């Protein structure tokens, strides 16, 4: 039986629960009434008028049938609006039962037969005690039954006047008072428990409503950010491409100076979008983890040439560990964590030095970045891993970062199953740590591949199939690829791409395709169509500005390289270099 609690107060809910519970106990009460009533008629059959006994039993039987009928109606269609009517039926049912049993006590009171008098008295007391727990739930029903049932027999006992009957009457009165006090106490406890339960249910319902509202708001925010992100990335991507092309063509110092200023501004926007994208990708679960056993020294060797010059610009020195051992992790993701630690250490240290430590701790290895910088207060230590939280940058100077680095660290470490920690005191510097699993010395150690940035573009021109429905991006990318020495088939959609394939006597060496295209087609569909037409698997990169979790996961599982708008030219160049391998 389900009850809708909308707009129902806690007091009303308690009364409904009391009435429901008492109605549900009617079946057992009816059974007890029939058994005890039949037994009493059998015992007193030879001592009391048959007419009186049968009349009493008939009235009892009719009363029980009526109560069962009311109970059946209650269970079939309970209506909270009819609560007062249900309460009245309960009280009248209990009152009629109390009157019939009280009359039964008088009918079956046998003069000068003390043993039978005790028998009927104990029977009535047993009926009172047996109904006490169920009737204590709703006190009006209790008062309509128990006192009404016991009062006639008490009056009968007191009226006789001798000591024995007076004592029995007194004991019955004491029993009635004690049981009444007990039931009142039980009723208060049950009512308090119900009140607490319904208040908790209301709180849970409120929390669920607030959760749904928060989820709806978060969903709306995500959709807005996804749309805004895509729309903002498109012109920024085109700007990046044209800026890079302009940098290649600028020759005089003044043009180079202006171009470099534009490039720095574009790079700042690129950094912001990359950080936001890293968080989106990590939240989407679209980052693939490839753990292996490798020498941590190889990661350190990649960090040293990047960060030593940055530290030197601030007259800082970095002390690197001489030997770090072998760890079990994803080298690329672990490198990302350490790069964030080192970037922050340099950013917030104005004097002194920075030290990178590798400290074995049993089966794990703690990698620590220690600085002598400004330090972090205890309250700030609890929030520095939150998005956009920065220390000492109220003016939001972009040269001091965006406040996303440590948020990315937190997500990446969680993905890897690594612990992170910060220890700091204001004015005394900070220590950021990540704890990784140490690899057994018997395990095979994998090497880290290095990309030679000095590798030249191959002398033979590569034929690149470019598909993007944004004209500015298509023109900018075509110009840049041409400056890099590539032949380009630039197309707006799948139909144009398949049509232009026929005018070339060679298969494209690579495909660069936007994800979102016209006519509800996407880059994965177009790449599949081109591969089918060429009957081969052409190396492809999918370019996207999307941030939806499901889509990011789908792209990561596509088998194609994925680049996110705005794409840094260096990443496109790295993709083209990979074609020579």
């Amino acid at each position: 039986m389900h009850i809708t609690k909308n707009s129902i107060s806690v007091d009303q809910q308690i009364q409904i629960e009391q009435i429901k519970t008492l109605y549900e106990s009617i079946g057992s009460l009816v059974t007890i009434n029939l058994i005890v009533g039949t037994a009493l008629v059998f015992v007193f059959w030879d001592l009391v008028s048959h007419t009186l006994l049968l009349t009493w039993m008939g009235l009892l039987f009719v009363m029980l049938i009526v109560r069962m009928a009311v109970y059946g109606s209650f269970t079939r269609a309970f209506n909270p609006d009819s609560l007062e009517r249900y309460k009245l039926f309960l009280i009248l049912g209990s009152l009629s039962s109390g009157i019939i049993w009280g009359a039964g006590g008088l009918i079956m009171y046998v003069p000068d037969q003390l043993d039978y008098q005790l028998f009927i008295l104990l029977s009535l007391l047993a009926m009172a005690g047996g109904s006490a727990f169920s009737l204590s739930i709703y006190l009006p029903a209790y008062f309509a039954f128990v006192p009404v049932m016991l009062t006639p027999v008490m009056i009968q006992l007191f009226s006789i006047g001798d000591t024995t009957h007076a004592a029995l009457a007194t004991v019955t009165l004491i029993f009635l008072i004690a049981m009444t006090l007990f039931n009142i106490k039980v009723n208060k406890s049950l009512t308090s428990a119900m009140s607490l339960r319904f208040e908790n249910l209301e709180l849970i319902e409120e929390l669920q409503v607030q959760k749904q509202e928060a989820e709806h708001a978060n969903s709306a925010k995500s959709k807005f950010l996804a749309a805004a992100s895509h729309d903002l990335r498109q012109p920024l991507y085109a700007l990046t491409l044209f800026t890079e092309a302009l940098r290649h063509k600028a020759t005089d110092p003044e043009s180079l100076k202006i171009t470099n200023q534009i490039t720095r501004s574009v790079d700042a926007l690129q950094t912001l979008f990359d950080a936001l994208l890293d968080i989106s990708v990590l939240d989407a679960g679209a980052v693939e983890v490839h753990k292996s056993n490798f020498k941590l020294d190889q990661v350190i060797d990649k960090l040293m040439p990047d960060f030593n010059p940055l530290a030197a610009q601030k007259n800082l020195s970095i002390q690197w560990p001489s030997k770090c051992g072998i760890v079990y992790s994803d080298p690329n993701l672990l490198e990302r964590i350490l790069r964030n630690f080192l970037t922050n250490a340099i950013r917030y240290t104005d004097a002194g030095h920075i030290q990178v430590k590798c400290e074995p701790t049993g089966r794990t290895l703690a990698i620590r970045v220690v600085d002598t910088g400004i330090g972090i207060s205890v309250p700030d230590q609890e929030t520095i891993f939150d998005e956009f939280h920065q220390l000492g940058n109220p003016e939001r100077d972009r040269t001091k970062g965006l406040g996303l680095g440590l948020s990315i660290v937190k997500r990446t470490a969680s993905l890897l199953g690594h612990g992170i920690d910060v220890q700091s005191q204001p004015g005394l510097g900070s220590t950021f740590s990540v704890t990784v699993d140490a690899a057994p010395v018997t395990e095979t150690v994998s090497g880290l591949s290095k990309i030679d940035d000095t590798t030249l573009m191959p002398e033979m021109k590569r034929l690149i199939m470019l598909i993007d429905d944004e004209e500015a991006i298509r023109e900018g990318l075509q110009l840049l690829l041409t400056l890099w020495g590539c032949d380009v088939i630039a197309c707006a959609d799948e139909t144009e791409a398949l049509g232009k394939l026929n005018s070339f006597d060679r298969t494209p060496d690579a495909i660069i395709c936007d994800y979102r295209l016209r006519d509800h087609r996407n880059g994965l569909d177009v790449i599949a169509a081109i591969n089918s037409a060429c009957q081969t698997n052409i190396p492809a990169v999918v370019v996207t500005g999307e941030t939806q979790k499901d889509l990011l996961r789908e792209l990561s599982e596509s088998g194609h390289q994925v680049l996110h708008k705005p794409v840094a030219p260096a990443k496109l160049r790295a993709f083209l270099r990979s074609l020579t391998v």
Side-chain angles (χ1 to χ4, degrees):
M1 186 185 312
H2 178 72
I3 300 174
T4 302
K5 296 186 176 62
N6 293 335
S7 73
I8 298 179
S9 67
V10 172
D11 289 340
Q12 287 176 309
Q13 292 178 37
I14 291 174
Q15 291 185 24
I16 290 172
E17 192 68 19
Q18 289 173 328
I19 299 304
K20 280 176 58 183
T21 303
L22 196 50
Y23 265 102
E24 289 167 359
S25 67
I26 285 179
S28 60
L29 291 176
V30 167
T31 302
I32 293 172
N33 273 255
L34 284 174
I35 294 173
V36 176
T38 303
L40 288 176
V41 170
F42 177 78
V43 170
F44 288 92
W45 185 255
D46 295 331
L47 300 172
V48 179
S49 166
H50 292 177
T51 302
L52 289 176
L53 288 176
L54 291 175
T55 301
W56 178 81
M57 190 65 187
L59 291 173
L60 179 65
F61 189 71
V62 170
M63 181 269 296
L64 295 177
I65 290 176
V66 172
R67 297 194 72 178
M68 285 299 296
V70 172
Y71 170 68
S73 173
F74 173 85
T75 56
R76 282 193 301 273
F78 176 78
N79 182 4
D81 295 333
S82 302
L83 181 62
E84 294 302 320
R85 181 161 56 91
Y86 294 131
K87 290 161 62 175
L88 179 61
F89 286 157
L90 273 178
I91 295 172
L92 291 177
S94 298
L95 180 62
S96 62
S97 181
I99 292 172
I100 291 172
W101 279 99
L106 296 178
I107 291 170
M108 297 176 217
Y109 182 86
V110 182
D112 301 326
Q113 297 283 342
L114 185 59
D115 49 349
Y116 284 100
Q117 295 171 7
L118 288 173
F119 184 81
I120 187 61
L121 178 61
L122 292 175
S123 297
L124 295 178
L125 293 177
M127 286 292 295
S131 62
F133 179 75
S134 58
L135 295 180
S136 64
I137 295 173
Y138 185 57
L139 287 179
Y142 166 80
F143 285 112
F145 175 67
V146 175
V148 172
M149 176 180 63
L150 293 181
T151 299
V153 75
M154 281 193 298
I155 294 174
Q156 176 71 21
L157 292 172
F158 273 121
S159 66
I160 294 176
D162 60 55
T163 304
T164 301
H165 289 88
L168 290 176
T170 302
V171 169
T172 303
L173 179 60
I174 293 172
F175 173 84
L176 176 60
I177 294 171
M179 190 169 64
T180 300
L181 294 176
F182 174 76
N183 281 1
I184 291 173
K185 185 176 181 180
V186 170
N187 178 265
K188 288 183 179 179
S189 298
L190 292 174
T191 303
S192 176
M194 288 181 187
S195 176
L196 183 61
R197 177 162 71 93
F198 287 121
E199 287 174 359
N200 289 337
L201 288 174
E202 283 191 349
L203 288 175
I204 291 172
E205 288 178 356
E206 289 177 6
L207 288 174
Q208 288 176 339
V209 170
Q210 292 175 4
K211 179 184 176 184
Q212 291 174 354
E213 291 176 350
E215 289 176 346
H216 178 73
N218 187 58
S219 175
K221 180 199 72 173
S222 298
K223 290 178 181 178
F224 169 78
L225 289 176
S229 174
H230 181 273
D231 293 341
L232 288 171
R233 286 173 188 273
Q234 293 292 90
L236 180 58
Y237 183 27
L239 178 62
T240 301
L241 297 172
F242 283 116
T243 301
E244 182 67 14
L246 181 62
R247 192 173 66 84
H248 276 271
K249 291 202 167 192
T251 54
D252 61 281
E254 188 65 26
S255 297
L256 282 172
K257 181 178 179 181
I258 295 174
T259 303
N260 289 334
Q261 290 284 3
I262 296 173
T263 300
R264 278 194 289 271
S265 297
V266 172
D267 287 344
L269 285 173
Q270 177 81 39
T271 300
L272 173 60
F273 274 103
D274 285 346
L276 290 171
L277 179 66
D278 283 342
I279 290 178
S280 297
V281 172
L282 287 166
D283 285 344
V287 175
E288 293 185 3
V289 177
H290 302 286
K291 284 189 174 183
S292 62
N293 298 313
F294 62 91
K295 292 181 179 179
L296 186 57
D297 297 332
Q298 295 173 293
V299 173
I300 299 298
D301 290 343
K302 293 176 67 176
L303 297 173
M304 290 173 62
D306 292 341
F307 286 95
N308 280 335
L310 294 176
Q313 291 176 5
K314 296 185 67 174
N315 295 320
L316 302 173
S317 64
I318 302 180
Q319 300 175 11
W320 301 93
S322 57
K323 191 172 183 180
C324 294
I326 302 171
V327 296
Y328 179 69
S329 182
D330 184 313
N332 295 319
L333 295 179
L334 180 60
E335 179 185 339
R336 182 184 299 183
I337 292 175
L338 296 178
R339 283 185 179 276
N340 275 291
F341 283 170
L342 286 164
T343 298
N344 279 350
I346 293 174
R347 180 175 295 143
Y348 294 106
T349 302
D350 295 324
H353 64 277
I354 297 166
Q355 186 175 9
V356 181
K357 298 180 178 180
C358 296
E359 300 178 354
T361 54
R363 296 182 179 180
T364 61
L365 181 72
I367 310 168
R368 309 189 193 280
V369 177
V370 185
D371 65 58
T372 56
I374 60 174
I376 308 169
S377 65
V378 174
D380 282 328
Q381 289 178 34
E382 299 176 357
T383 56
I384 55 172
F385 290 98
D386 296 339
E387 294 89 344
F388 297 105
H389 183 87
Q390 286 185 288
L391 303 179
N393 189 18
E395 69 279 9
R396 302 302 297 177
D397 181 359
R398 71 168 183 265
T399 63
K400 296 181 181 180
L402 302 163
L404 293 172
L406 291 179
S407 178
I408 294 172
V409 164
K410 180 180 179 180
R411 287 166 165 82
T412 306
S414 175
L415 186 65
L416 292 169
H418 297 341
I420 54 174
D421 181 57
V422 57
Q423 300 291 329
S424 183
Q425 292 184 25
L428 299 178
S430 305
T431 300
F432 284 86
S433 306
V434 56
T435 303
V436 302
D437 294 328
V441 294
T442 56
E443 297 288 341
T444 303
V445 178
S446 62
L448 300 182
S449 59
K450 295 184 179 180
I451 297 177
D452 185 4
D453 291 334
T454 63
T455 302
L456 298 175
M457 295 298 293
E459 294 181 2
M460 183 183 71
K461 286 190 174 182
R462 296 291 180 181
L463 178 60
I464 309 299
M465 173 67 76
L466 168 63
I467 306 100
D468 199 306
D469 57 357
E470 286 281 339
E471 183 178 359
I473 292 175
R474 193 167 62 250
E475 290 180 356
L477 188 51
Q478 183 176 11
L479 175 61
L480 189 58
L481 291 171
T482 302
L483 288 172
W484 288 348
C486 298
D487 290 329
V488 182
I489 307 174
C491 312
D493 53 35
E494 177 183 335
T495 302
E496 185 180 356
L498 294 175
K500 286 187 175 182
L501 276 177
N502 297 325
S503 61
F504 286 82
D505 58 357
R506 53 188 283 216
T507 301
D509 297 295
I511 302 171
I512 299 177
C513 187
D514 189 26
Y515 176 78
R516 185 188 291 186
L517 298 170
R518 298 171 185 167
D519 301 324
H520 304 289
R521 300 289 286 172
N522 63 59
L524 299 181
D525 297 331
V526 175
I527 293 171
I530 295 173
N531 283 333
S532 176
C534 297
Q535 297 185 343
T536 185
N537 287 322
I538 303 172
V541 60
V542 181
V543 180
T544 182
E546 308 291 340
T547 58
Q548 296 96 324
K549 293 183 179 182
D550 293 340
L551 177 57
L552 292 175
R553 189 176 295 109
E554 178 188 357
L555 289 174
S556 70
E557 296 171 354
S558 67
H560 303 303
Q561 184 173 343
V562 180
L563 295 178
H564 298 273
K565 297 178 183 179
V567 179
K571 293 183 179 180
L572 286 172
R573 199 174 182 90
F575 168 68
L576 296 176
R577 285 197 187 101
S578 69
L579 301 178
T580 65
V581 180

